[in-house]
Amino acid sequence: MAILMWVTYQKLDRLQEESRILAQKGLATSGYDYISAETRDSRLVVQGFAVDAATAQAACDAAVGAIVGRIGLPGAFASVDCALIRYPAGSIGGVSTTNAKPLDAAQANCQSRLDAAGKSGIIQFEKGKSVVSAGQSVLDRVAEAAKSCGDYQIEIGSHTDTGGPANLNQALSETRAAAVRQALIAKGVPANQVTAKGYGESQPLVNDFPDGKGDVPGQPDTPLRQKNRRIEFRIIADN
């Protein structure tokens, strides 16, 4: 039974990934390759920065149009969320979402550079520790982006998967965020520009233990768990 459930979940994960790729291709074909389509549990989240609200809406429509026949199908996405396509304040038009947050143009430009740098590779740590084991080239790019955005405060957010005790995951995320902060400072980013924040397992992108056995020791690592373990860089205020 356990093997059958695992195979089923693997198939569902592949169907979502196929749909995500189709949405990303739809964005690129329509000229919105700077907007990304990501899987978050049962939703396809479309996010990035647009020049105005009308462009944000058009990008959302491109992603939806690419997978319109799949939305709501078993194993695919239940919905598409475009609330994270942000745009400069004062632009005309409106994205059909409830919580899109306007940014000023300069802030949006810096956030876009941070996103590109942070997603240029994977920052990895030794298992259960805060020692960076891979991703120095990513940190180099993030450091350069941060230094070019000296007018803004940047939060380094660390997230874990949902396996194991929540309190240990919270502590681990805090020490990992602090380690990345120190690495950026060592690369020339001013200490007063970057803050470290550990979120633990409180903000998962996907359900990484769909069988409900997240606290059972000895389970093998999976792509779902890897999706939730991540470092994010976010502008939080003027410097």
Side-chain angles (χ1 to χ4, degrees), residues 160-175 198-202 215:
T160 70
D161 61 42
T162 65
N167 62 328
L168 295 183
N169 285 334
Q170 178 62 39
L172 180 62
S173 69
E174 292 172 2
T175 57
Y199 289 94
E201 59 184 60
S202 66
D215 290 326

Side-chain angles (χ1 to χ4, degrees), residues 188-200:
V189 178
N192 62 1
Q193 186 188 1
V194 283
T195 60
K197 175 74 172 179
Y199 289 94

Side-chain angles (χ1 to χ4, degrees), residues 32 35-36 44 58 76 96 110 120 134 141 143 148 155 165 182 191 194 205 210 216 236:
Y32 306 115
I35 303 291
S36 67
L44 178 71
S96 56
C110 278
S120 63
R141 297 183 190 103
S148 72
E155 177 191 273
Q182 290 303 316
V194 283
L205 298 179
V216 176
I236 55 175

Side-chain angles (χ1 to χ4, degrees), residues 132-145:
V132 177
S133 60
Q136 288 298 328
S137 61
V138 180
L139 291 173
D140 288 339
R141 297 183 190 103
V142 171
E144 290 306 309

